[in-house]
């Protein structure tokens, strides 16, 4: 950043104004000029003062008759009242402030006899028309003559993101104060000049003037267009560099070998692979055979069958003499992965034992809460190479875990893993392992490109044949008849030998926020429209178990409980009892959200469903409909019709297509939330770019950024771009990027 842009606002605008702006996260000149108007009001047309209508946005040319500041005894604070007239009708102007001093500036300008333009929305007070806090322009002070004043007044009025303490018009003035004296040299432009010229884009300084002080609508559009392109371009350059840096690393190629573990697994698979599984398997197999480390994102809706794709990749690496690590976001999922891998491999997982088949390997499970003996054994198997596959949670990433020869890391459900952890694994040893990241959270292509732009992506678009769609209904929580019917329905499933999940947002009734790994609280808080019913406690695992135990519809049904605070053994026991049908109804928090695979589960009841976000509910729903049995998902909700929460649930009921839902999710979220919650402050945030709407622009920027980085990888010829990229890639930013 240039010296001018780095200048503190305090030095330029004074302590009081700067203090207010700092509450909006704006502390330097650079911050302020990057604080773009949210929208523009069209200039008020010049109005005949005799015909003012309350509520109308107007601009009038008039002469000041009087202006005076007075204290308000009743309300505290001070006000300035002025009267302006066009010779016949008059209009009152009113300004309020905490202290009279603040109003002196207006009083000084609004001297009797002066002429000016006054803009605002017409209000009425005690039968008199008035403008409160009007914007105004005094001839002879703000403009040389009436002609110039008229010209000024015909401009669009920028409306800034503001606060009560700093209203938009004060921000506008502050912006103009800092922007006016800036020169091209003060405002380095991250866009390469050639690119700018080719596309006919204004410079950064020009663009800033266009958005802050536009002459007309086409001016601010031109400015915004350029700033939006800049965001896309800088972001894509950052990603292209990351990708280039990654490509410069070398990995050990792990070519496929016939007659090994992979072939043995394929021979044992109880089902034929889908076309998509074969196709993606081929892509990954080729990647593994390269000396460039694989960095691939595998997207597939819940139930698409990602695990078997991962298993086959791991088998190829083991056949080539390496090891594979499988990382899961929760202990429940890690344990399940270990269990199902051992099931799938059968005797192939008994390497080194009498029962072991030829070419067999071992699957070690390594989680944080493992007993000391088990942990020691798992660590030993990882270090010696006896375990071809090591399954674990974050504990796997700790420094103590040694691998004999780690060739592949599979990260399941990436959205729970930070980039630091991913990099920690990648930086081990002389050669980084190949990395396969799997996610069921459907990410629209455009977002994937923006957020995961440094990964290659594969999509498992086809679900295994014979799957039926999960039927989903929204059930109003206050309809007791429906609830009875819900539990009777659950009973029918259980009597038919199936399983039922009941999901609650909390563990205990008196808990302030969800205490386990579920995101429910975070989502609800983020979206802020679901907490209305504070009087009624949210459903908890404890209270729901009690309630269900007393329901005649469920008499005699054994129920299990599952949540993040259970000891690992108890979690395993609960999952096992549920899976084998001993306790066919499981009351759980969202710990079961990702990956849990019990094919006989055919019904899910989500209590207080309005507390959860779309993608989370979609994930949860993915726990049922995992076989050819028809399945049902009931979303019990207190959301009132017409609220966003209700709309989310309706969207879920309307479609099971994760990609459609992800788009809907983006649409329902407030604009800025698309790429994460931390959109508000920080000089390098995405401000104008929107992943869905701006897809073509992002595409274009990506191609241009790749070309620039290819020609000049260290950006030596583009220092201003380099600086902008560095701002993007500060550690906080990077973690945010990868969090998705
Ligand atoms: P996800 O993509 O959500 O991780 P899983 O890998 O857990 O899905 O697979 C879901 C279920 O589908 C599992 O029970 C798995 O055994 C089964 N499955 C996977 N591939 C196929 C296939 N090609 N045909 C039939 N069933 C399959
Ligand atoms: Mg899975």
């Amino acid at each position: 950043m240039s010296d001018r842009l780095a200048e503190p606002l305090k030095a330029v605008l004074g302590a009081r104004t700067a203090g207010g702006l700092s509450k909006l996260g704006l502390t330097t000149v650079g911050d302020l000029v990057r604080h773009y108007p949210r929208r523009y009001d069209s200039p008020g047309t010049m109005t005949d003062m005799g015909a003012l209508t309350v509520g109308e946005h107007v601009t009038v040319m008039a002469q000041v008759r009087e202006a005076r500041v007075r204290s308000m005894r009743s309300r505290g604070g001070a006000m300035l009242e002025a009267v302006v007239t066009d010779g016949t009708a008059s209009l009152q102007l009113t300004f309020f402030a905490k202290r009279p001093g603040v109003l002196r500036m207006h009083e000084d300008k609004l001297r009797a006899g002066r002429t000016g333009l006054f803009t605002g929305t017409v209000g009425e007070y005690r039968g008199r028309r008035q403008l409160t806090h009007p914007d105004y322009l005094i001839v002879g002070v703000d403009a040389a003559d009436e002609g110039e004043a008229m010209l000024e007044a015909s401009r669009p009025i920028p409306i800034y993101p503001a606060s009560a303490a700093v209203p938009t018009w004060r921000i506008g003035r502050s912006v103009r104060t800092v922007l006016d004296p800036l020169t091209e040299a003060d405002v380095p432009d991250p866009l390469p000049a050639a690119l700018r010229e080719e596309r006919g884009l204004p410079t950064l300084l020009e663009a800033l003037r266009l958005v802050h002080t536009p002459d007309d609508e086409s001016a601010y559009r031109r400015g915004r267009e350029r700033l939006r392109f800049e965001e896309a371009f800088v972001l894509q350059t950052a990603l292209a560099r990351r990708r280039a840096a990654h490509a410069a690393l070398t990995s050990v190629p792990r070519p496929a070998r016939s007659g090994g573990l992979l072939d043995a697994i394929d021979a044992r698979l109880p089902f034929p692979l889908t076309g998509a599984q074969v196709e993606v398997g081929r892509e990954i197999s080729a990647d593994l055979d390269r000396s460039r480390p694989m960095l691939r994102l595998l997207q597939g809706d819940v139930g698409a069958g990602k695990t078997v794709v991962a298993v086959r990749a791991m088998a190829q690496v083991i056949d080539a003499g390496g090891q594979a690590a499988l990382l899961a976001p929760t202990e429940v999922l890690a344990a399940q992965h270990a269990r199902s891998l051992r099931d799938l491999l059968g005797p192939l997982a008994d390497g080194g034992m009498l029962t072991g088949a030829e070419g067999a390997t071992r699957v070690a499970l390594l989680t944080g809460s493992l007993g000391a003996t088990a942990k020691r054994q798992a660590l030993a198997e990882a270090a010696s190479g006896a375990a071809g596959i090591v399954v674990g949670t974050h504990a796997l990433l700790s420094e103590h875990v040694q691998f004999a020869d780690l060739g592949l890391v599979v990260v399941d459900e990436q959205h729970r893993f930070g980039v630091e952890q991913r990099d920690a694994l990648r930086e081990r040893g002389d050669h980084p392992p190949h990395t396969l990241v799997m996610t069921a959270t459907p990410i629209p292509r455009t977002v994937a490109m923006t957020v995961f732009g440094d990964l290659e992506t594969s999509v498992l678009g086809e679900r295994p044949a014979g799957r039926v769609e999960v039927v989903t209904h929204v059930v109003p929580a206050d309809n007791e008849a429906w609830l009875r019917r819900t539990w009777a329905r659950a009973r029918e499933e259980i009597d038919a030998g199936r399983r039922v999940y009941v999901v609650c947002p909390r563990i205990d009734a008196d808990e302030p926020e969800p205490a386990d790994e579920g995101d429910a609280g975070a989502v609800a808080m983020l979206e802020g429209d679901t907490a209305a019913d504070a009087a009624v406690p949210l459903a908890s695992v404890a209270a729901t178990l009690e309630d269900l135990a007393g329901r005649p519809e469920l008499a005699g049904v054994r129920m299990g409980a599952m949540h993040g605070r259970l000891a690992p053994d108890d979690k395993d026991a609960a999952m096992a009892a549920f899976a084998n049908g001993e306790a066919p109804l499981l009351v759980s928090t969202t710990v079961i959200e990702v990956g849990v695979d019990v094919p006989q589960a055919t019904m899910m009841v989500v209590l207080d469903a309005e507390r959860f976000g779309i993608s989370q509910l979609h994930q949860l729903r993915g726990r049922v409909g995992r076989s050819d049995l028809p399945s049902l998902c009931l979303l019990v909700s207190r959301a009132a019709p017409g609220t966003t929460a209700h709309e989310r649930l309706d969207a879920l009921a309307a479609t099971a297509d994760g990609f459609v839902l992800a788009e809907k999710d983006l649409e329902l979220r407030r604009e800025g939330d698309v790429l994460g919650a931390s959109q508000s402050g920080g000089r390098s945030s995405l401000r104008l770019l929107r992943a869905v709407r701006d897809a073509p622009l992002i595409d274009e920027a990506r191609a241009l950024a790749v070309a620039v980085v290819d020609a000049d990888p260290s950006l030596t010829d583009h220092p201003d771009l380099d600086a902008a990229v560095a701002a993007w890639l500060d550690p906080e930013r990077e973690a945010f990027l990868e969090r998705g």
Side-chain angles (χ1 to χ4, degrees):
M1 210 176 350
S2 77
D3 294 349
R4 278 314 276 277
L5 294 183
E7 218 172 329
L9 289 172
K10 205 156 76 183
V12 190
L13 297 170
R16 192 167 46 220
T17 306
L21 292 171
S22 76
K23 296 208 182 74
L24 292 166
L26 311 169
T27 55
T28 64
V29 168
D31 293 343
L32 185 57
V33 297
R34 291 284 196 173
H35 189 68
Y36 308 140
R38 188 201 299 289
R39 61 184 171 83
Y40 298 84
D41 270 354
S42 41
T45 39
M46 290 294 287
T47 315
D48 169 11
M49 262 183 31
L52 296 180
T53 318
V54 172
E56 201 183 359
H57 186 81
V58 299
T59 300
V60 296
M61 176 77 80
Q63 193 178 47
V64 181
R65 208 161 59 196
E66 56 171 332
R68 69 194 173 93
V69 176
R70 59 187 182 83
S71 306
M72 291 185 294
R73 236 169 295 127
S74 56
R75 295 168 54 187
M79 74 186 287
L80 178 136
E81 276 178 326
V83 178
V84 298
T85 174
D86 61 359
T88 37
S90 71
L91 178 67
Q92 182 157 321
L93 314 179
T94 317
F95 298 83
F96 298 97
K98 278 217 184 67
R99 280 180 301 276
V102 181
L103 300 170
R104 298 287 171 212
M105 182 268 288
H106 294 300
E107 194 182 28
D108 191 45
K109 280 171 81 173
L110 296 169
R111 290 194 206 147
R114 280 186 173 170
T115 302
L117 281 161
F118 304 89
T119 301
T121 305
V122 180
E124 198 173 34
Y125 184 69
R126 295 195 173 147
R128 296 186 62 181
R129 299 289 139 110
Q130 70 165 12
L131 303 179
T132 307
H133 291 289
D135 247 316
Y136 62 87
L137 209 110
I138 299 295
V139 173
V141 179
D142 302 309
D145 54 38
E146 293 197 3
E148 193 189 312
M150 297 285 276
L151 191 73
E152 281 293 320
S154 66
R155 292 185 164 160
I157 303 155
I159 307 296
Y160 290 91
S163 67
V166 199
T168 171
W169 54 269
R170 184 148 359 123
I171 296 174
R173 279 193 194 156
S174 302
V175 171
R176 288 194 293 275
T177 306
V178 303
L179 193 56
D180 279 352
L182 292 180
T183 64
E184 286 291 345
D186 294 328
V187 186
D189 190 341
L191 289 185
L195 188 60
R196 206 174 55 221
E197 275 152 29
E198 196 182 292
R199 298 177 67 90
L201 296 172
T203 65
L204 177 53
L205 178 61
E206 283 163 355
L208 292 174
R209 293 201 201 286
L210 289 170
V211 296
H212 290 299
T213 54
D215 284 338
D216 53 29
E217 188 180 322
S218 73
Y220 68 72
R221 284 192 188 289
R222 206 163 101 78
R224 287 171 77 91
E225 188 53 33
R226 127 93 215 200
L227 294 170
R228 192 177 294 135
F229 177 76
E230 176 192 324
E231 283 177 14
F233 182 76
V234 170
L235 169 60
Q236 292 300 335
T237 305
L239 293 169
R241 284 189 88 183
R242 221 185 122 80
R243 220 169 23 233
H246 184 82
L249 301 171
T250 57
S251 275
V252 180
R254 313 281 179 173
R257 175 171 69 78
S258 59
L261 189 62
L262 177 54
D263 284 353
I265 288 173
D266 281 347
R268 276 184 58 87
L269 279 182
F271 43 71
L273 294 172
T274 64
Q277 284 169 329
V278 171
E279 179 61 30
V280 171
R282 244 185 238 132
E283 277 172 3
I284 294 173
S285 176
D287 282 356
L288 292 174
D289 194 8
R290 297 205 179 95
S291 55
R292 176 162 55 102
M294 171 173 80
L295 185 50
R296 187 172 284 278
L297 173 70
L298 173 56
Q299 283 190 67
D301 210 345
V302 282
K306 293 182 293 295
T307 314
V308 71
V309 173
V311 170
R312 296 181 71 248
M314 294 193 283
Q316 175 171 334
V317 169
I318 294 168
D319 282 340
Q323 287 168 290
L326 174 57
L327 303 188
T330 63
E331 297 209 344
V332 173
L333 189 52
Q336 178 195 284
H337 270 320
R339 204 163 40 235
S340 57
L341 285 178
R342 286 178 187 137
D343 283 353
L344 182 67
L345 296 173
L348 295 170
D350 289 343
M353 301 182 44
L354 283 177
T355 48
E358 200 188 330
T361 186
R362 294 186 62 76
V363 178
L365 174 65
L366 194 57
T367 52
S369 52
L370 220 57
T373 320
K375 187 180 271 175
R376 214 174 303 121
Q377 189 189 342
L379 284 170
E381 287 183 0
S384 70
I389 299 177
V390 183
V391 185
T393 58
H394 296 74
L396 249 197
L397 305 174
S398 89
E399 293 295 322
H400 312 297
V401 184
Q402 300 290 332
F403 290 86
D405 180 12
L406 184 60
L408 170 66
V409 176
V410 180
V411 183
D412 199 11
E413 300 303 341
Q414 139 85 17
H415 53 291
R416 301 293 185 83
F417 276 92
V419 69
E420 323 80 42
Q421 290 141 330
R422 224 175 75 188
D423 282 350
L425 257 175
R426 215 189 283 152
E427 279 155 16
R428 289 161 160 268
D430 301 337
H431 298 289
H434 298 285
T435 307
L436 177 65
V437 176
M438 306 199 292
T439 178
T441 300
I443 305 165
R445 195 188 64 88
T446 49
V447 178
M449 207 162 55
T450 309
V451 181
F452 296 100
D454 63 336
L455 307 176
E456 309 291 332
T457 51
S458 301
V459 177
L460 272 188
E462 172 193 5
R463 282 152 56 93
R467 293 287 168 76
V468 281
E469 207 159 274
V470 179
V471 175
T472 303
H473 295 294
V474 181
V475 178
D478 53 8
N479 189 327
E480 183 56 29
W482 281 51
L483 286 182
R484 275 202 302 274
R485 179 73 199 114
T486 298
W487 300 123
R489 189 75 177 70
R491 180 54 178 265
E492 288 163 25
E493 291 300 316
I494 289 166
D495 286 347
R498 321 236 161 102
R499 317 272 186 275
V500 176
Y501 291 105
V502 179
V503 179
C504 311
R506 296 198 173 174
I507 302 176
D508 303 313
D510 50 0
E511 185 189 347
E513 285 302 328
D516 64 348
E517 50 266 62
D519 282 343
V523 168
M525 279 187 290
L526 194 86
E527 304 187 356
D529 58 355
T530 53
D533 268 328
V536 190
L538 288 178
S540 67
V541 172
T544 302
L545 274 171
E546 218 176 289
D547 173 41
L548 296 187
R551 294 250 172 198
E553 298 86 1
L554 293 171
V557 171
R558 276 200 59 188
M559 302 175 189
M562 177 65 130
H563 55 76
R565 288 213 304 260
L566 288 179
D569 284 354
D570 294 339
K571 281 186 197 161
D572 283 351
M575 268 334 283
F578 180 67
N580 69 25
E582 257 171 63
L585 187 149
L586 187 67
V587 181
S588 174
T589 59
T590 54
V591 283
I592 55 141
E593 172 186 340
V594 283
V596 168
D597 186 29
V598 177
Q600 298 88 345
T602 52
M603 181 169 172
M604 169 171 287
V605 182
V606 183
L607 301 177
D608 293 319
E610 75 278 9
R611 294 284 298 187
F612 303 98
I614 284 189
S615 63
Q616 194 174 20
L617 286 170
H618 182 61
Q619 280 284 340
L620 281 168
R621 177 168 62 178
R623 299 312 109 217
V624 297
R626 301 181 72 82
S627 64
D628 53 3
L629 299 169
S631 294
L632 177 65
C633 176
L634 297 179
L635 305 171
V636 180
S637 153
R638 299 179 218 169
T643 58
T644 312
H646 199 279
E647 217 178 313
R648 286 203 298 267
L649 301 181
D650 282 346
L652 275 145
T655 180
D657 184 324
F659 286 82
V660 172
L661 285 172
E663 299 276 357
K664 183 76 188 170
D665 200 10
L666 290 180
E667 185 190 310
L668 288 180
R669 287 181 193 219
R670 311 284 293 283
E671 294 187 312
D673 293 341
V674 169
L675 297 167
S678 58
Q679 289 281 305
S680 46
R683 59 179 184 272
S684 48
S685 294
L686 287 185
R687 286 144 198 268
L688 298 171
L689 200 63
R690 298 290 174 259
V692 175
R693 183 196 61 199
D694 294 322
L697 185 70
I698 294 173
D699 256 337
E700 225 178 305
R702 180 178 165 99
L704 293 165
V706 167
V708 167
V709 171
D710 276 353
D712 180 12
S714 53
L715 298 179
T716 323
D717 296 337
H718 304 288
D720 295 333
L721 177 58
D722 193 27
V725 166
W728 258 104
L729 292 184
D730 68 24
E732 209 179 314
R733 158 73 31 198
E734 205 170 352
F736 154 75
L737 260 183
E738 306 271 335
R739 206 159 48 231

